Amino acid sequence: MPDERTPRTAGATPGAPPAPDVSIVMVTMSNWTYLGPCLESLAAMASPYAYEIIIVDNGSTDGTQDRLRAGYPHVRLIENGRNLGLSRATNQGIQAARGRHVLLLNDDTLVTGASLDALVTFLDGHPDAGAAGGRLLNEDGSLQAGFNRFPTIGEEILIATRVGAAIDGAYPSTGDAAAARRVDWIGSACLLIRRAAIEEVGLLDEEFFIYGDEVDLQFRLKRAGWHVYYLPDVSTIHFGGRSLNRWRRRRMVYRGKMLFYRKNYGFVRAGVLRIVLGGLTLAKLGCWAVTAVLPPRRDRARRELQSNVEVLRLCVRLK
């Protein structure tokens, strides 16, 4: 009896399997607690589309590789001896993919067959679509993120000061579309991309170690004439933020923002962003320096001070 988790590959012949409809590409690193359930959600799909799963392991130390080899022989595993970054590892998966569409999927998600089917069907029916995605949900079913606009200085101020989050907890993401619509960009926790579009605009920019790479890719798609679509009826549960603590994540997020501005918006706007973020970071440093004298908040303040100093260094000299 074949393994129930083996994806459908209708029409396959020994030694010459047909190209699947979808190549699901995931990057993982010591995250089996979430990767295991994610794979089971994929196994439970009853999709008419043929798919393959490619997992790029960035040096896991929790036995992920052994678990995959033993329990998921259909998964194509690419092993890296160390953390090469999300962009570079994702590119390894894309380059190994054979599908006519590529699904970028985080390893801390739960996917339904209906959502994957809807994404594939939409791309097949809309030749102008370079990519499509849907709503990301928290574990309790509440909205985590929808679609986004390409960043602006004003938006960055609202994010950095948390004024935007006070107005809307999902800010700057939006998820209130009543029907499928063209958008600027969608998070890559679950994003289906047409292979032809990737071949035209290129892979992820590996200068983005993590964060910002998906914005840059979809910016290039739009510049090349492709459209990104948001499908409100498509939803994926995304646990999110499990691989990096908030302080390390902050530096990587800000680095991604600055790289995106430098690459796509030019010297002047990139400089303005660094001045604005640097000024706001100095203000935060002052507040946390005062807070550090309070014993109950001392440990938190120390972490915040260190994190914001790292951001300030990026504002002065991006590297």
Side-chain angles (χ1 to χ4, degrees), residues 78-100:
I78 299 173
E79 298 183 59
N80 295 321
R82 60 187 177 88
N83 184 4
L84 300 182
L86 182 62
S87 301
R88 184 174 174 185
T90 300
N91 284 344
Q92 289 178 305
I94 294 173
Q95 289 171 318
R98 299 180 299 114
R100 55 193 181 85

Side-chain angles (χ1 to χ4, degrees), residues 87-209:
S87 301
R88 184 174 174 185
T90 300
N91 284 344
Q92 289 178 305
I94 294 173
Q95 289 171 318
R98 299 180 299 114
R100 55 193 181 85
H101 302 311
V102 176
L103 180 71
L104 303 186
L105 185 67
N106 278 21
D107 63 351
D108 58 352
T109 57
L110 297 177
V111 182
T112 67
S115 289
L116 178 58
D117 293 350
L119 289 171
V120 178
T121 299
F122 187 89
L123 252 62
D124 286 348
H126 295 76
D128 65 321
R135 302 160 72 232
L136 295 180
L137 304 179
N138 295 307
E139 188 176 5
D140 62 4
S142 60
L143 177 68
Q144 181 183 107
F147 58 89
N148 305 269
R149 297 172 294 273
F150 288 128
T152 65
I153 298 296
E155 181 180 272
E156 300 297 351
I157 293 173
L158 292 177
I159 295 172
T161 60
R162 298 190 180 179
V163 171
I167 299 171
D168 178 356
Y171 187 86
S173 179
T174 305
D176 59 356
R181 58 169 289 180
R182 294 176 182 175
V183 299
D184 283 347
W185 69 278
I186 300 172
S188 59
C190 183
L191 181 69
L192 188 68
I193 309 174
R194 189 186 303 273
R195 171 178 287 280
I198 296 175
E199 291 175 348
E200 180 176 346
V201 306
L203 298 169
L204 295 171
D205 186 338
E206 295 180 5
E207 190 173 6
F208 295 87
F209 189 84

Side-chain angles (χ1 to χ4, degrees), residues 219-277:
F219 189 84
R220 285 186 278 132
L221 286 173
K222 186 172 185 178
R223 191 166 52 191
W226 293 98
H227 296 297
V228 175
Y229 282 88
Y230 173 74
L231 310 183
D233 294 333
V234 170
S235 61
T236 303
I237 293 176
H238 179 223
F239 295 97
R242 308 291 170 168
S243 58
L244 295 173
N245 64 49
R246 61 181 297 178
W247 295 284
R248 186 182 176 199
R249 186 185 308 116
R250 176 182 290 150
R251 181 187 184 280
M252 302 309 296
V253 167
Y254 277 92
R255 182 179 183 275
K257 292 176 185 290
M258 294 178 203
L259 284 174
F260 177 84
Y261 271 72
R262 185 180 72 182
K263 177 180 178 180
N264 298 299
Y265 285 175
F267 176 79
V268 174
R269 290 173 70 182
V272 171
L273 175 71
R274 290 165 73 170
I275 291 171
V276 168
L277 294 182

Side-chain angles (χ1 to χ4, degrees), residues 25 49 58 69 76 91 93 95 114 137 153 179-180 215 237 241 275 309:
V25 174
Y49 296 107
N58 261 349
R69 282 190 289 265
R76 298 174 63 192
N91 284 344
Q95 289 171 318
L137 304 179
I153 298 296
V215 191
I237 293 176
I275 291 171
V309 165

